Amino acid sequence: MGRGLVNRLLALIAACAALAVASAAQAEDGYRLWLRYAPLEGEALARVRALPLVVHADQDPTVALAGEELVHGLAKLRGEERRPGVVITASRLARPLPPGSLSFECRDSAVPPGGAFAIKPADGGLRISAGEPIGCLYGAFALLRELSLGRNPAKIDLDERPAMPLRLLDHWDDPNGYVLRGYSGRSIFDWWKLPEHLDQRLVDYARADASIGINGAVVNSVNASPLFLTDRYIPKLRRIADAWRPYGIRLYICARFSAPKDVGGLPTADPLDPAVQAWWKARADALYAAIPDFGGFLVKANSEGEPGPQDYHRTHAEGANTLARAVGSRGVVIWRAFVYSAEDQTDRAKQAYNEFVPLDGQFEPNVILQVKNGPVDFQPREPFHPLFGAMPHTRLMFEGQITKEYLGQATHLAYLAPYWKEVLDAQTGRGGTVAQVIAPAGMAGVANTGSDRNWSGSHFNQANWYAFGRLAWDPTLSSAQIAREWAMQTFSRERGFIGKVVPMMIASREAVAEYMTPLGLTHQMATGHHYGPGPWICNLKRPEWNPCYYSRADKGGIGFDRTASGSNALAQYAPSVAAQWADPRTIDEDYLLWFHHVPWDFRTPSGRPLWGELVYRYDRGVATVDEMAATWASLAPYVDPERFADTADFLRIQSREARWWRDASIAYWQSINGLPLPAGTRPPEHSLDYYKALSFPEAPGE
Ligand code: GCW
């Protein structure tokens, strides 16, 4: 081979390699989340090109990050390679800025602290002002979001402040990297390699959180290992806290209540024991010495076998207060209200209220009670938790589950903003909506992040992380608005895409509720994995772990009587709220079987008997999933091939499994009520025994 040919071949190989790198760089694997800043087009592009890059580089690391983000984001939106921009220092900012500049004022006493910001036209350009540097970072992300949505910079005029102080993610991650109820790979925290090695993913995570206003994360599971309270873990925690600080993310840990015994060498963990109190104080001091802005402790106590103050005949308040005094004004103790006992067999849905309402007023001021959205457990639909509004002297925080343990996990598409909004917007009848009740505290979401390249197990599950942050920032945002901004930033701004994908997202959660647990049924998932149907399960050692406990299905009817003739859980709600749900003939049907046991031939408002209505709802859920799959198929022209195919595959799984849910459930109800299927109904594909015999050793477990 002649030298010329060899050279040409080498050049060709190099060119191919370069192309491969370029296309790998373009690969849409979901890692960039909603922060893709895809190039604008047409007028929007021209307008953003006209904005000069002028960035005020303060000494503060958060302001520097805000500047970086703007430089990076604007360059991307302009379709340019990354450019440094024009950086002017704090001292030079006093000089007049070039007209049309984009500038920061991050210590503006006219703007309140705590993340608030304003973006206003100034000197022919725009100024982001904030009371504290973190407000500038939020402002930078907000500006980039507005521009990404195609907004005209000349018309941007924002004045925002977060609706609540704590906007947290709770990670149910174990020290060995296992994520409880995690469906997106392993933990993002690699405790084994920390503190020396900090994975870049943890920085990218903090940036994504900051972009939606999240300001704290609890790094370990509520079923807590005491390891996190040992000296050995302090440098690991510090390394993360240092990396997160510029993004405004405070680090919290779950504290195992028995830690004084487990790792403290004490004979007891009795919260009233002075040695135990001194131990907690010393632990808090050690944490604050390493991490001055440490957020505090989250505690799951006396719940599902976790240790707690009741092991020593102390109340939850006595337990919480011991930790709260140790932390003092430096942080908070978030105490979970998710308790239900094996002994109390009245109604699981009533137990948290019964346990905590009598303690109202007994908690230290830095204790916050964290209450799940509904009284049972993150089901596809639950009425709001009766504790909201019932403890006027205690700060209550909302706990939602982003990870979708009971809503199809990684594969089923369910956009959760409508779900959370249903609760946040609910009138408690005791001083406002749930969103108003929690405003002095905040919201925590059980995170869906993991080591998967796309972070959340599926591309659409990213929308739930996004929506959670946005709602904690502003619960008055509509589900559609959040879906729209997420989809535009994550996939495509094209009208043809947005006009179809947003309604598809909005319908998705209702579809899941209908093919899994229609008409207010609850907890019909199989034991362990909580993914597929198991309505027949009735032999678990704790009655309230059994689906049959919740359905109360028998020959005579179905549903849980929570009225005065039953458990009377209804009485835990304010009279105005209880009145809406008291009568099975007038209740919103979505809650019918949550509150009422009704005969199979009960006439529903639709005119159909209950059995017919139930089957109708299962079918409608299945049909909606089929429509979602068809909608997605029509969106191929707008979406990159990787993410298009991933989503199409998952929708195929969801279509098949929606039928599984419907068929297995109907087969089981029929075995109980002995009724024929309503005319024209497709019979279940298999026998009940077939569904009962299915087992899934490969499913993510508990
Ligand atoms: O949703 C249920 C889960 C448990 C979990 C518990 C809780 C951390 O099935 O795995 O345990 O709730 O919230 O404490």
Side-chain angles (χ1 to χ4, degrees), residues 172 180-181 222-223 300 304 336 338 372 377 405:
W172 285 359
L180 177 71
R181 309 303 181 186
V222 287
N223 296 345
K300 172 178 178 179
E304 301 185 330
R336 293 179 89 224
F338 179 68
K372 287 190 180 181
D377 191 12
E405 171 182 353

Side-chain angles (χ1 to χ4, degrees), residues 72-106:
H72 164 80
L74 285 173
K76 291 241 158 210
L77 289 171
R78 293 171 184 219
E80 295 161 1
E81 281 310 303
R82 198 194 141 96
R83 303 180 353 174
V86 182
V87 176
I88 55 174
T89 62
S91 54
R92 287 182 55 202
L93 193 68
R95 298 185 189 173
L97 293 173
S101 302
L102 191 56
S103 60
F104 287 138
E105 177 50 79
C106 306

Side-chain angles (χ1 to χ4, degrees), residues 185-541:
R186 307 273 301 164
S187 174
I188 57 173
F189 304 105
D190 191 343
W191 303 106
W192 185 245
K193 300 201 191 89
L194 282 160
E196 286 81 1
H197 178 70
L198 181 106
D199 199 294
Q200 174 62 28
R201 190 177 272 251
L202 285 190
V203 177
D204 296 343
Y205 163 83
R207 170 174 169 250
D209 275 351
S211 75
I212 48 175
I214 302 258
N215 68 353
V218 186
V219 297
N220 63 314
S221 171
V222 287
N223 296 345
S225 160
L227 272 181
F228 290 87
L229 287 155
T230 61
D231 280 340
R232 193 160 72 78
Y233 266 64
I234 287 186
K236 299 175 192 283
L237 295 167
R238 171 165 56 195
R239 181 79 201 271
I240 299 174
D242 286 347
W244 284 357
R245 188 165 297 112
Y247 291 96
I249 311 293
R250 286 177 81 174
L251 182 142
Y252 299 68
I253 61 171
C254 280
R256 184 169 182 81
F257 197 78
S258 56
K261 261 169 59 180
D262 305 332
V263 293
L266 296 178
T268 176
D270 179 352
L272 298 194
D273 183 301
V276 169
Q277 294 177 342
W279 187 85
W280 283 110
K281 174 77 169 55
R283 284 294 84 201
D285 289 350
L287 282 160
Y288 279 102
I291 308 170
D293 56 353
F294 175 65
F297 298 125
L298 170 65
V299 187
K300 172 178 178 179
N302 292 120
S303 168
E304 301 185 330
E306 296 302 302
Q310 293 176 336
D311 303 347
Y312 304 94
H313 308 290
R314 311 297 185 196
T315 67
H316 281 284
E318 287 168 321
N321 289 345
T322 289
L323 273 68
R325 289 186 196 111
V327 169
S329 60
R330 299 173 291 189
V332 293
V333 168
I334 304 172
W335 198 264
R336 293 179 89 224
F338 179 68
V339 300
Y340 58 100
S341 91
E343 289 78 54
D344 181 348
Q345 280 315 317
T346 49
D347 177 358
R348 172 170 165 186
K350 286 172 68 179
Q351 295 184 24
Y353 179 101
N354 289 346
E355 187 79 49
F356 284 99
V357 167
L359 300 177
D360 191 26
Q362 294 182 28
F363 291 99
E364 289 285 326
N366 61 334
V367 174
I368 293 173
L369 199 62
Q370 183 166 295
V371 180
K372 287 190 180 181
N373 55 270
V376 171
D377 191 12
F378 301 139
Q379 294 302 300
R381 171 168 279 116
E382 297 188 35
F384 72 86
H385 202 300
L387 275 173
F388 292 119
M391 295 183 69
H393 306 293
T394 309
R395 272 192 295 164
L396 300 187
M397 182 156 169
F398 170 105
E399 180 176 336
Q401 200 193 40
I402 308 173
T403 187
K404 280 172 56 236
E405 171 182 353
Y406 297 97
L407 287 104
Q409 303 175 3
T411 43
H412 294 207
L413 197 162
Y415 170 57
L416 298 181
Y419 175 78
W420 295 319
K421 287 282 289 179
E422 212 167 81
V423 171
L424 292 167
D425 292 348
Q427 285 292 345
T428 64
R430 295 170 169 136
T433 61
V434 171
Q436 286 164 336
V437 167
I438 62 168
M443 285 172 60
V446 181
N448 66 356
T449 47
S451 60
D452 277 5
R453 190 65 195 156
N454 68 21
W455 295 91
S456 303
S458 79
H459 300 295
F460 275 82
N461 275 350
Q462 297 177 356
N464 293 327
W465 178 8
Y466 184 87
F468 189 86
R470 296 288 287 139
L471 284 174
W473 180 272
D474 181 0
T476 68
L477 292 172
S478 76
S479 300
Q481 180 180 337
I482 297 171
R484 198 181 145 77
E485 50 180 63
W486 174 79
M488 283 176 95
Q489 295 171 91
T490 305
F491 283 112
S492 162
R493 301 182 183 100
E494 299 277 345
R495 269 195 204 161
F497 177 77
I498 295 299
K500 285 184 161 190
V501 88
V502 170
M504 177 185 100
M505 289 170 73
I506 297 293
S508 61
R509 173 279 187 142
E510 195 60 53
V512 174
E514 291 204 320
Y515 64 72
M516 288 189 182
T517 49
L519 292 175
L521 278 174
T522 201
H523 218 306
Q524 297 303 299
M525 296 77 194
T527 313
H529 56 70
H530 287 167
Y531 182 79
W536 46 81
I537 297 172
C538 215
N539 59 358
L540 303 177
K541 75 170 188 287

